[in-house]
């Protein structure tokens, strides 16, 4: 069974940039999973530091309204990995999941760490590169010309253990709606 992990689509992150195209792709993947009866699991990052935009009791930590209506499962985490000290492993086991798909924020942190952690736990992993986003940029890392999504996607792809697709490739390979139309 496949499951979709929607990582950290929270107010403070979404409101920190222009992510309409990423959110639209995430929503289409969510709709596909829902249509095919496969689980969609939202991951919510919670910080303990009151000054953090993702402080556990702040409005910034809440799931963003653009995708909130799709929530069926929520896993709360405190690190970049959705697996570390969370109930995600047990939930995936209960659901009979052996293949996880990853979309969400931030590409180079929580999405990448979760992809690697999932692989380490024996899951097949599909990372939908352009259905992830980041609040960071080339200036954050002092690396002129850095395309963070492309860089992370390339590294994960070169690992030869994590499947990396863009949204159009996902549609061609997996999208149940597309398969019924052809």
């Amino acid at each position: 069974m496949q499951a979709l992990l929607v990582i950290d689509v929270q107010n403070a992150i979404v409101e920190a940039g222009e992510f309409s195209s990423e959110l639209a792709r995430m929503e289409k993947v969510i709709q596909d999973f829902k249509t095919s009866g496969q689980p969609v699991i939202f991951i919510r990052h919670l910080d303990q530091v009151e000054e953090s935009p993702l402080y556990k009791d702040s409005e910034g930590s809440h799931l963003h309204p653009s995708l909130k209506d799709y929530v069926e499962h929520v896993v709360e985490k405190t690190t970049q990995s959705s697996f570390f000290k969370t109930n995600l492993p047990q939930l995936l086991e209960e659901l009979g999941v052996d293949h996880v798909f990853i979309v969400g924020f931030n590409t180079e942190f929580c999405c990448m760490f979760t992809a690697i952690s999932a692989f380490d736990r024996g899951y097949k992993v599909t990372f939908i590169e352009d259905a992830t986003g980041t609040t960071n940029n080339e200036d954050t890392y002092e690396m002129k010309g850095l395309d963070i999504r492309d860089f992370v996607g390339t590294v994960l792809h070169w690992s030869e253990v994590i499947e990396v697709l863009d949204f159009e490739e996902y549609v061609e390979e997996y999208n149940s709606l597309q398969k019924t139309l052809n």
Side-chain angles (χ1 to χ4, degrees), residues 27-87:
E27 184 171 27
K28 288 176 183 170
V29 177
I30 291 168
Q31 289 170 340
D32 183 49
F33 270 74
K34 292 277 196 180
T35 298
S36 61
Q38 297 176 98
V40 175
I41 302 167
F42 279 73
I43 310 296
R44 183 174 171 226
H45 190 96
L46 300 176
D47 285 334
Q48 302 300 318
V49 178
E50 286 187 41
E51 294 76 29
S52 170
L54 297 177
Y55 176 62
K56 63 180 181 158
D57 294 328
S58 71
E59 187 61 32
S61 73
H62 291 250
L63 295 173
H64 192 263
S66 62
L67 300 179
K68 191 174 182 177
D69 290 344
Y70 296 106
V71 172
E72 57 186 83
H73 303 281
V74 178
V75 170
E76 295 178 347
K77 66 179 180 62
T78 58
T79 70
Q80 291 81 7
S81 172
S82 299
F83 288 89
F84 185 74
K85 294 185 179 180
T86 71
N87 67 331

Side-chain angles (χ1 to χ4, degrees), residues 37 40 44 102 129 139 154 158:
V40 175
R44 183 174 171 226
I102 295 175
E129 180 181 320
D139 295 329
T154 299
W158 284 358

Side-chain angles (χ1 to χ4, degrees), residues 4-146:
L4 176 63
L5 304 182
V6 183
I7 300 175
D8 299 351
V9 181
Q10 294 168 259
N11 291 332
I13 295 172
V14 174
E15 293 166 7
E18 167 46 51
F19 297 113
S20 57
S21 58
E22 291 89 342
L23 289 168
R25 286 188 285 271
M26 288 179 209
E27 184 171 27
K28 288 176 183 170
V29 177
I30 291 168
Q31 289 170 340
D32 183 49
F33 270 74
K34 292 277 196 180
T35 298
S36 61
Q38 297 176 98
V40 175
I41 302 167
F42 279 73
I43 310 296
R44 183 174 171 226
H45 190 96
L46 300 176
D47 285 334
Q48 302 300 318
V49 178
E50 286 187 41
E51 294 76 29
S52 170
L54 297 177
Y55 176 62
K56 63 180 181 158
D57 294 328
S58 71
E59 187 61 32
S61 73
H62 291 250
L63 295 173
H64 192 263
S66 62
L67 300 179
K68 191 174 182 177
D69 290 344
Y70 296 106
V71 172
E72 57 186 83
H73 303 281
V74 178
V75 170
E76 295 178 347
K77 66 179 180 62
T78 58
T79 70
Q80 291 81 7
S81 172
S82 299
F83 288 89
F84 185 74
K85 294 185 179 180
T86 71
N87 67 331
L88 182 60
Q90 294 85 359
L91 179 59
L92 293 174
E93 185 176 331
E94 288 169 17
L95 295 169
V97 172
D98 60 2
H99 184 177
V100 295
F101 289 71
I102 295 175
V103 301
F105 296 99
N106 276 330
T107 307
E108 76 278 25
F109 287 111
C110 298
C111 294
M112 181 178 72
F113 276 74
T114 297
I116 293 167
S117 295
F119 169 74
D120 281 346
R121 287 165 174 78
Y123 293 96
K124 179 176 179 186
V125 180
T126 300
F127 189 92
I128 306 174
E129 180 181 320
D130 58 351
T132 70
T134 183
T135 57
N136 299 307
N137 59 37
E138 63 184 23
D139 295 329
T140 306
Y141 298 107
E142 299 177 359
M143 298 175 75
K144 185 133 180 79
L146 176 65

